[in-house]
Amino acid sequence: MNTITTYKKRLNKYDNLKGLAIIFVVFIHMSNPFSHFPIRNDITLLITPLSMSIFFFVSGYFTKVDENTQIKAFKKILVPFIIFTATWIIYSVLLFGTNIPKLPYLVPTAGLWFLLALFWLRSFLPILVRIKYIFVISLILALLVGLITFPKDMGDFLTIGRTFGYLPIFLVGYYFKNNEEYFQSFGSTIGSKIKPIFFKISKFLKENKKIVFIILIGILISLFILYQHVPVSFLEYKRSYINFDYGRKIGMLIRLFVILASITLVLLITYLMTNKKTFLTKLGMNSLSIYILHFYFSSFSSRIFLKTGIGSTILHDPYLAIIYSVLLSAFVLFILSRDIVEKNMRKLIEVVGNFLMKDEAPKQRIE
């Protein structure tokens, strides 16, 4: 008897996208101590909104809506959030003597807001996809959430602002894969008109990568110029409009522009990205461990190494600062992208997840 084994083909394109995004994220955090240099801020102005938009786009792409969506979100996303919030607090208290946060799980620390935001998005996706015109509604919600002002010590409360800010790009990722479902949500008449337009544009972008690349560069240059007048913190969807010098209307317009620009860039990069294995592929496959653990390296660098004599020299030289940030980022990416790191992290998450979750109740037999 022949045994037929089916292999699920891995899409390298999306691992490559995550690999590119994690490079941006690591560089941003490794270069945080050098925010007093204009050149560093110029670089992060572009890659800050782009890097996280790529992550949410890919996460939306691979999220499945079924009866296990919430359970998977709990095991794969909320459990790591619970574990590594605790480990970060222990690390900070023991090594640096910092105080224990008052609301560690309500106000995320060490970049773990991403996991909490992703947990909300995946958990509520089965409900969201049942709402008509959800993408337009998501844009409206992303703009309205900027009107909410939290106290300073609760500025990222339950990462509400960021969750709604990245909701549109998360939905774009989901419907990029499930486009038939999106067309049907408009009804047969409108959907049948939109569908051929979408496929024509998609075909053009796939067959004219040189033009796509030129468009991408043009948008990046334009955004680089426009973002000179926008603080990096505004691009993170974390704070309300009142925290900046913009009025509510101007703040909404700028946020809408940033969201639509980020979506456009991510889609263009997706069409350009190769589906072949590259050095980005491994980084993308192991991006979870890199994302969570690189904060320990960045904090150690900023709190200990850069306070030494050599570190002080680096802190006062923009060229040395850039070289240091690049070399440290490369080192951290290499170390944390090892399969053994990702494997052990997954094991830890699985053990804790199994401890927290009840065994599935046996189905009662119907006589």
Side-chain angles (χ1 to χ4, degrees), residues 210-265:
K210 289 183 179 179
I211 295 176
V212 174
F213 181 75
I214 293 171
I215 294 173
L216 177 66
I217 296 301
I219 293 175
L220 286 172
I221 293 172
S222 301
L223 291 178
F224 179 78
I225 297 169
L226 292 170
Y227 283 173
Q228 295 297 312
H229 307 287
V230 179
V232 174
S233 55
F234 183 88
L235 304 174
E236 297 174 340
Y237 311 129
K238 178 182 175 181
R239 301 165 68 186
S240 67
Y241 307 128
I242 201 171
N243 295 128
F244 302 93
D245 295 329
Y246 313 119
R248 291 177 178 177
K249 292 181 180 178
I250 298 299
M252 284 186 176
L253 285 173
I254 296 174
R255 175 170 287 194
L256 178 62
F257 175 81
V258 170
I259 292 172
L260 295 178
S262 298
I263 290 173
T264 303
L265 285 177

Side-chain angles (χ1 to χ4, degrees), residues 82-101:
I82 293 170
I83 295 171
F84 292 102
T85 294
T87 58
W88 178 260
I89 293 171
I90 295 169
Y91 165 82
S92 300
V93 171
L94 293 182
L95 197 61
F96 304 115
T98 56
N99 296 324
I100 297 175

Side-chain angles (χ1 to χ4, degrees), residues 128-163:
L128 295 174
V129 295
R130 295 172 65 90
I131 301 173
K132 287 185 177 181
Y133 315 114
I134 183 56
F135 178 71
V136 175
I137 293 173
S138 73
L139 286 175
I140 295 171
L141 291 174
L143 301 181
L144 292 179
V145 75
L147 299 173
I148 302 173
T149 303
F150 293 103
K152 285 186 178 180
D153 58 344
M154 296 177 66
D156 205 15
F157 181 71
L158 290 175
T159 195
I160 291 172
R162 286 165 156 169
T163 300

Side-chain angles (χ1 to χ4, degrees), residues 14-50:
Y14 297 96
D15 282 327
N16 291 337
L17 283 171
K18 288 193 294 180
L20 178 65
I22 201 64
I23 289 175
F24 290 160
V25 169
V26 171
F27 176 80
I28 289 168
H29 294 129
M30 296 305 160
S31 63
N32 266 341
F34 313 115
S35 58
H36 52 287
F37 294 128
I39 186 172
R40 183 266 175 187
N41 293 330
D42 288 341
I43 295 171
T44 55
L45 270 173
L46 277 180
I47 64 177
T48 294
L50 180 58

Side-chain angles (χ1 to χ4, degrees), residues 253-310:
L253 285 173
I254 296 174
R255 175 170 287 194
L256 178 62
F257 175 81
V258 170
I259 292 172
L260 295 178
S262 298
I263 290 173
T264 303
L265 285 177
V266 171
L267 290 175
L268 291 176
I269 292 172
T270 300
Y271 280 109
L272 283 174
M273 185 60 72
T274 179
N275 196 41
K276 297 178 181 178
K277 276 193 174 184
T278 68
F279 74 97
L280 294 173
T281 311
K282 192 175 186 63
L283 296 178
M285 290 173 65
N286 297 331
S287 58
L288 177 65
S289 58
I290 298 172
Y291 183 86
I292 291 175
L293 298 178
H294 85 276
F295 291 101
Y296 295 87
F297 287 83
S298 63
S299 66
F300 186 87
S301 169
S302 60
R303 294 188 181 191
I304 294 181
F305 178 76
L306 290 176
K307 290 184 178 180
T308 63
I310 298 174

